Amino acid sequence: MVVVLDTVGKVPARHPEKAHRPDQPAAKKPDWIRVKAPVSRGYGETRAIVRQNGLHTVCEEAGCPNIGECWEKKHATFMIMGDTCTRACAFCNVKTGLPGALDPAEPEHVAEATAKLGLAHVVVTSVDRDDLADGGAGHFAATIRAIRVRCPSTTIEVLTPDFLRKDGAFDVVVAARPDVFNHNLETVPSRYLMVRPGARYFHSIRLLQRVKELDPRMFTKSGIMVGLGEERNEVLQVMDDLRSANVDFLTIGQYLQPTRKHHAVIRYVPPDEFKALETIAYAKGFLMVAASPLTRSSHHAGDDFARLKAARAGA
Ligand code: SF4
């Protein structure tokens, strides 16, 4: 399929590939999806630091429901390599299209913002940059190095794309020694074609496995959303697949539909089902599990990293 971007005289659509799709049903949110309004002083200060450094955050671009809570505590997750993604996943609110050139000063700006926010643990993610020869792996590594120099006591978690399966790309990120390497599976394999069509489930599992092979001490992490039409047994199979790849930390959260053009919420999973999944995941051997309706990859990432280290030390 060819997508023509006609931007003359008008603001380009945020999701040009979805603009002509039929509207999807929008299910009413249940009572247990309650979030804090983004109005606090801390929220304003975080926003100012992000803006001053010309950065993007996944908190804003993905429309994360936890932004009021996280930004009040100055916990922002940086999204590097621009605000425009080369993929068009059915669940994601990040803008899609043709991105601009990389900003070579961005790693330094991320390090500067990390210092100003006083982050003990920073999470860095990115848009997919399938247009780049290395998928953006070198830029990830440069960002890790810049944070290490500027904030030597800050621990670093990366949440990476699959680098379009480009040879050796994630090895470059592993070599820069983040403390946590996260790569999300997002959903069960049977839903990939509808939810994450540009990715391959087996490759994502293999990527996580390879990270652990390259550096067995590095913590690995992955996450899925539920409510996208998956079966419970499929979720349990994903847990087994992740454990086969020696993944340490699993996150499970409720999918929320950003707009009517995105994938519909097939089901709101009640909190007691998340609790049951958490119990099963621990029984399957994960060091850490976070499972709740509002769990997101980077939610409480600093506190969870401390618990992760303690769990390994006590294992
Ligand atoms: S959960 Fe993550 S993405 Fe959402 S607001 Fe918090 S830090 Fe940002």
Side-chain angles (χ1 to χ4, degrees):
M1 184 182 74
V2 175
V3 177
V4 178
L5 300 178
D6 173 12
T7 59
V8 178
K10 52 184 163 180
V11 179
R14 190 171 168 85
H15 302 287
E17 80 293 342
K18 297 183 178 80
H20 301 293
R21 285 188 193 163
D23 282 358
Q24 298 298 310
K28 187 175 177 294
K29 288 195 183 91
D31 291 345
W32 61 78
I33 309 275
R34 287 264 173 267
V35 297
K36 192 169 187 160
V39 291
S40 66
R41 184 170 167 184
Y43 172 87
E45 289 167 0
T46 302
R47 194 168 182 274
I49 291 169
V50 168
R51 295 284 182 278
Q52 281 156 17
N53 286 280
L55 297 172
H56 301 290
T57 65
V58 74
C59 319
E60 288 181 291
E61 300 299 330
C64 181
N66 299 322
I67 194 166
E69 179 205 329
C70 292
W71 283 29
E72 181 175 359
K73 294 183 276 187
K74 305 250 179 89
H75 295 170
T77 292
F78 301 114
M79 191 178 81
I80 58 175
M81 299 192 257
D83 67 350
T84 306
C85 186
T86 49
R87 301 263 176 105
C89 297
F91 64 88
C92 185
N93 197 39
V94 172
K95 188 163 89 180
T96 53
L98 302 173
L102 288 181
D103 173 5
E106 187 176 48
E108 201 46 56
H109 289 150
V110 171
E112 172 96 17
T114 302
K116 282 191 179 149
L117 290 168
L119 293 175
H121 183 83
V122 64
V123 186
V124 179
T125 188
S126 77
V127 289
D128 275 298
R129 288 298 304 254
D130 297 340
D131 57 312
L132 301 174
D134 68 348
H139 201 75
F140 256 109
T143 304
I144 294 166
R145 287 193 294 268
I147 298 168
R148 287 267 183 251
V149 169
R150 184 74 197 255
C151 312
S153 62
T154 297
T155 48
I156 302 172
E157 176 167 336
V158 290
L159 167 57
T160 76
D162 63 7
F163 304 110
L164 197 62
R165 309 177 283 283
K166 291 179 184 190
D167 268 354
F170 58 82
D171 309 47
V172 171
V173 183
V174 174
R177 310 273 325 263
D179 296 277
V180 182
F181 195 116
N182 185 358
H183 173 67
N184 281 338
L185 294 180
E186 311 291 6
T187 187
V188 301
S190 71
R191 301 301 301 147
Y192 260 53
L193 212 54
M194 294 304 295
V195 174
R196 203 184 171 215
R200 299 293 174 267
Y201 177 79
F202 177 77
H203 175 78
S204 286
I205 291 280
R206 180 70 189 125
L207 185 159
L208 288 158
Q209 184 178 38
R210 185 80 189 117
V211 169
K212 201 59 145 182
E213 287 167 0
L214 287 167
D215 187 345
R217 297 298 300 165
M218 192 170 289
F219 289 102
T220 51
K221 177 172 175 180
S222 188
I224 60 165
M225 299 167 287
V226 289
L228 283 159
E230 70 289 331
E231 298 288 334
R232 186 169 184 275
N233 277 350
E234 294 179 297
V235 173
L236 304 192
Q237 181 67 54
V238 165
M239 291 180 189
D240 288 338
D241 294 346
L242 286 170
R243 285 304 302 135
S244 299
N246 281 317
V247 170
D248 299 299
F249 186 176
L250 172 65
T251 60
I252 308 176
Q254 169 71 52
Y255 166 64
L256 297 175
Q257 183 188 34
T259 75
R260 296 289 293 261
K261 299 294 182 190
H262 288 78
H263 198 295
V265 175
I266 306 300
R267 191 166 82 96
Y268 284 108
V269 177
D272 61 334
E273 282 189 40
F274 280 99
K275 191 72 203 156
L277 289 174
E278 180 189 288
T279 304
I280 294 167
Y282 273 120
K284 286 180 183 290
F286 289 98
L287 275 183
M288 268 283 302
V289 183
S292 76
L294 289 173
T295 291
R296 298 295 181 265
S297 297
S298 48
H299 198 206
H300 304 152
D303 292 346
D304 284 349
F305 179 63
R307 291 168 60 204
L308 193 57
K309 279 193 299 187
R312 180 182 280 174

